[in-house]
């Protein structure tokens, strides 16, 4: 069995021997001591935030992976956090916006390469309303932000795959409304 991370997961974290081998597509097992390490999907959020002109808030990534490409705001849930709580926290941290309403839209699997490890991710998208845009600023891992007409948005400018799919999914729904 081949997994994307097998060249970096070699030594067992329990016994230290170079006996770790891919077990399932999300786990490694130690042939020496039977320890099993799971690399489960990380839960992550993506926010679709539209202004009064129905333009979508799009960000530019300040850091790798995919530094300089377009993205949608959001991020990884922290241990002990609910997914809505995680989204509210991320949008406050990244843009200083306060979400007052959110509605689940869809989810897509994603992979997030970071310092040699490819993390499996489940991205969950929500359509969000914010209290006001008056406070907005780019901070944390966001370099810049833009409000873009959905119809004009070129999804090829996005680095990560799931924001593209989420936008395309949302466009598909928007034309039905
Ligand atoms: Zn071991």
């Amino acid at each position: 069995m081949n997994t994307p991370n097998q060249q970096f997961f070699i030594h067992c974290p329990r016994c230290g021997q170079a006996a770790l081998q891919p077990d399932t597509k999300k786990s490694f097992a130690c042939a020496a001591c039977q320890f099993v390490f799971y690399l489960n999907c990380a839960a992550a959020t993506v926010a679709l935030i539209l202004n009064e002109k129905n333009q979508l808030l799009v960000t530019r990534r300040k850091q790798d992976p995919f530094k300089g490409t377009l993205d949608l705001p959001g991020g990884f849930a922290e241990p002990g956090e609910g997914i809505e709580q995680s989204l509210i926290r991320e949008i406050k941290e990244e843009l200083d916006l306060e979400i007052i309403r959110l509605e689940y839209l869809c989810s897509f699997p994603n992979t997030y390469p970071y310092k040699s490890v490819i993390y499996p991710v489940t991205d969950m998208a929500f359509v969000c309303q914010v209290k006001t845009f008056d406070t907005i600023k780019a901070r944390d891992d966001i370099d810049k932000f833009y409000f873009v007409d959905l119809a004009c948005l070129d999804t090829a400018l996005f680095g990560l795959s799931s924001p593209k799919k989420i936008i395309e999914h949302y466009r598909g729904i928007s034309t039905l409304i």
Side-chain angles (χ1 to χ4, degrees), residues 106-173:
C106 62
S107 73
F108 286 99
N110 203 1
T111 52
Y112 193 89
Y114 188 72
K115 296 190 190 289
S116 305
V117 177
I118 299 169
Y119 293 91
V121 180
T122 305
D123 275 328
M124 288 162 259
F126 292 80
V127 180
C128 305
Q129 252 177 35
V130 298
K131 192 174 181 180
T132 172
F133 286 104
D134 294 349
T135 54
I136 192 167
K137 49 185 91 70
R139 52 189 199 182
D140 203 31
D141 52 2
I142 288 184
D143 183 29
K144 283 190 172 180
F145 64 85
Y146 315 89
F147 287 95
V148 186
D149 289 328
L150 258 183
C152 307
L153 188 54
D154 180 5
T155 54
L157 301 172
F158 285 72
L160 288 156
S161 71
S162 58
K164 298 180 201 181
K165 292 175 187 162
I166 289 163
I167 289 167
E168 280 155 16
H169 177 86
Y170 188 66
R171 272 178 179 155
I173 288 177

Side-chain angles (χ1 to χ4, degrees), residues 22-35:
D23 187 30
T24 69
K25 64 181 177 182
K26 61 175 186 177
S27 66
F28 295 85
C30 176
C33 78
Q34 281 71 57
F35 178 82

